[in-house]
Amino acid sequence: MTIRMKLLIVCAGLLSLTCPSRADSVCSVPNTQKSYVTALALNMARSVGPCVTPDPSVLLALNIGNVPDSFARETLIKLLREDSVHKVTENQPFTSGKVALYVLALRSSCSDPTKIYSSGENINLVHLLETKTNEELHCIANTQSPRTTWYQVALDVLALCVMSNPSAITAAKALAEATSISPPGLTGSVDTAAVAVMGLTCVLQMDNVPSKTVKLVKSSLSILLDLILNAQNNGLIGNIYSTGLAGQALTAAQPYYSVSSWNCSRTISTVIDLIPEGKFSIPISAAQVLPLLWGKSYLSVKGMPCPADNASLITVDYTIYNDLTGNPFKYSITVLVNNGSTLLQVMEKAAEINPKDFSFDTENSSWGPFVTTINKLGGSDNDKTYWQFFSNETPLQEGVGTYKVHNKEHILAIFSKY
């Protein structure tokens, strides 16, 4: 065991991070070993940063496990939304499966993937996912193969279903029909079968699914679950890195197989033993195995509570002001946020609506997110300048990540000297 992992486990015990569990979990991590899970989650969260390519799978895992790292969570939300805008507006590669992961990650954060504002226009990632999934289905109809991969089509089904989009039913039918033909890319991969199982299980929980589609999907589930169950090998399912998704699928689809056919406790024990060896040190590998260790799955996102559309909203006036250096500026905006929102969420909303004037950057600190730049103007140790925040005329004593704004409050960010 590395010194770093030992320190993480000690820190994890001190932080007492709760490992979520479900009443219907097939099995769970023993209390004596939960510190390993905590250490793995904290190590994954530390991989997040403003200069690191954002990974939607990491945000998914953070939210599924309710990992208490607001900096990592808020940073990923901001970066994923910005990256989706960049991909769409600059016509960058953005495959259906990648869009699906962004939709799942943002939905798990209660950050609406149908409302991403850029230069006064709205980008709807769910609508984009519908379009790209239809392109996949068209290709399948003509060539018996998807435009990308079966793994991505399976992600499409899952994300559309989590968003309660009726297109999930059509996509699930195509996926189920393909299972009976047994294309290698679908029935020859444990990872793909696992994601397909989660997507198809989700669709069976939807309303208005035609009876013929239900029968077809259940038949497909049987085939895919047999593939996963037959891939068990000394506690693993497939290999080290497919075990996380496979275990998630078996957790999500419990009603559709005999629980006795999966030695869940052995799988959990095997995975736990591999953590100190650093086998899941890469963030994506940790992100896929952690939901299993918490007794959850990507399908859990569908049941995660978010503020209702008619939740109590408040208005906050937000002004940024600089007359200290360079070209002076003063911009004001009024935003609607949920009651109980932090100042950081107000700033994010302002940046969504008007990124040209209200974009900002943060750095992590022991006191939470620290604002380094607003409107591309940053503080300087040499010049002793920084952004100071006020509520009306009163300087704030809390950080932007913890200060809760109030209805009709006027927040000012003033570029100042110390």
Side-chain angles (χ1 to χ4, degrees):
M1 183 187 299
T2 65
I3 294 176
R4 177 178 175 79
M5 183 57 72
K6 287 180 179 178
L7 289 173
L8 283 172
I9 291 172
V10 172
C11 292
L14 292 173
L15 287 170
S16 300
L17 174 62
T18 300
C19 292
S21 62
R22 287 192 338 186
D24 60 341
S25 296
V26 181
C27 61
S28 59
V29 176
N31 289 334
T32 56
Q33 294 182 310
K34 285 185 176 178
S35 59
Y36 288 95
V37 182
T38 301
L40 184 62
L42 293 176
N43 196 45
M44 179 187 70
R46 290 189 180 96
S47 71
V48 176
C51 298
V52 180
T53 302
D55 189 333
S57 297
V58 171
L59 181 57
L60 259 175
L62 289 173
N63 290 323
I64 288 172
N66 197 25
V67 178
D69 191 323
S70 59
F71 170 77
R73 185 176 291 104
E74 297 297 337
T75 297
L76 279 172
I77 292 171
K78 180 174 181 287
L79 291 177
L80 287 172
R81 292 178 75 92
E82 290 176 349
D83 189 53
S84 63
V85 168
H86 175 72
K87 282 179 163 56
V88 172
T89 58
E90 300 296 326
N91 199 28
Q92 296 294 312
F94 207 10
T95 64
S96 69
K98 181 66 77 173
V99 177
L101 277 173
Y102 276 49
V103 167
L104 286 169
L106 292 173
R107 166 60 183 86
S108 72
S109 308
C110 295
S111 179
D112 192 347
T114 69
K115 297 178 180 178
I116 301 178
Y117 296 100
S118 172
S119 302
E121 296 183 3
N122 180 53
I123 293 173
N124 184 333
L125 286 185
V126 177
H127 178 69
L128 178 63
L129 178 58
E130 281 185 83
T131 301
K132 289 184 175 289
T133 302
N134 286 333
E135 292 172 356
E136 299 276 17
L137 299 182
H138 180 75
C139 199
I140 291 169
N142 289 329
T143 67
Q144 286 71 58
S145 295
R147 183 175 184 176
T148 56
T149 63
W150 288 109
Y151 182 87
Q152 296 201 47
V153 174
L155 278 172
D156 300 344
V157 173
L158 178 59
L160 287 168
C161 178
V162 164
M163 296 303 297
S164 301
N165 189 297
S167 297
I169 299 173
T170 304
K173 182 174 181 290
L175 188 63
E177 287 173 340
T179 305
S180 62
I181 303 172
S182 300
L186 176 56
T187 56
S189 164
V190 171
D191 298 71
T192 302
V195 178
V197 163
M198 285 187 273
L200 296 176
T201 300
C202 181
V203 168
L204 287 177
Q205 299 170 5
M206 294 180 72
D207 296 328
N208 303 317
V209 182
S211 58
K212 288 185 178 180
T213 301
V214 169
K215 183 178 179 180
L216 186 63
V217 167
K218 286 184 176 179
S219 175
S220 176
L221 269 179
S222 178
I223 294 170
L224 294 171
L225 285 167
D226 282 347
L227 184 156
I228 293 170
L229 291 167
N230 290 333
Q232 294 180 83
N233 180 25
N234 295 322
L236 298 176
I237 309 174
N239 58 44
I240 292 174
Y241 301 110
S242 62
T243 298
L245 287 175
Q248 286 190 54
L250 294 175
T251 299
Q254 291 175 46
Y256 303 102
Y257 69 96
S258 171
V259 175
S260 62
S261 59
W262 176 31
N263 192 336
C264 176
S265 297
R266 186 176 185 185
T267 297
I268 293 293
S269 177
T270 302
V271 169
I272 292 292
D273 288 344
L274 291 170
I275 292 176
E277 297 179 16
K279 298 297 185 183
F280 305 107
S281 58
I282 298 174
I284 180 61
S285 62
Q288 292 182 345
V289 80
L290 279 167
L292 163 65
L293 298 176
W294 288 320
K296 297 190 177 185
S297 72
Y298 288 167
L299 181 51
S300 304
V301 174
K302 189 172 180 63
M304 292 173 66
C306 285
D309 292 337
N310 61 351
S312 176
L313 296 175
I314 60 174
T315 61
V316 178
D317 296 323
Y318 174 47
T319 298
I320 59 174
Y321 179 70
N322 161 53
D323 66 352
L324 194 61
T325 185
N327 295 322
F329 59 80
K330 180 180 181 180
Y331 300 111
S332 295
I333 190 171
T334 299
V335 299
L336 279 172
V337 292
N338 290 314
N339 191 17
S341 293
T342 63
L343 173 51
L344 183 62
Q345 290 170 311
V346 168
M347 296 175 68
E348 289 171 343
K349 178 64 70 173
E352 285 178 24
I353 298 171
N354 182 355
K356 179 177 179 294
D357 296 330
F358 292 96
S359 62
F360 68 96
D361 296 301
T362 61
E363 288 181 356
N364 197 20
S365 74
S366 57
W367 297 97
F370 176 76
V371 176
T372 55
T373 67
I374 300 177
N375 194 350
K376 300 181 181 178
L377 177 60
S380 165
D381 289 337
N382 292 333
D383 297 332
K384 299 186 182 301
T385 53
Y386 73 113
W387 282 100
Q388 186 175 15
F389 291 88
F390 297 79
S391 172
N392 295 316
E393 298 178 356
T394 305
L396 297 185
Q397 302 300 314
E398 297 179 63
V400 296
T402 55
Y403 180 78
K404 299 291 183 66
V405 294
H406 309 288
N407 191 34
K408 298 182 180 179
E409 185 175 13
H410 187 190
I411 297 291
L412 297 95
I414 301 176
F415 198 61
S416 309
K417 273 186 170 290
Y418 60 88

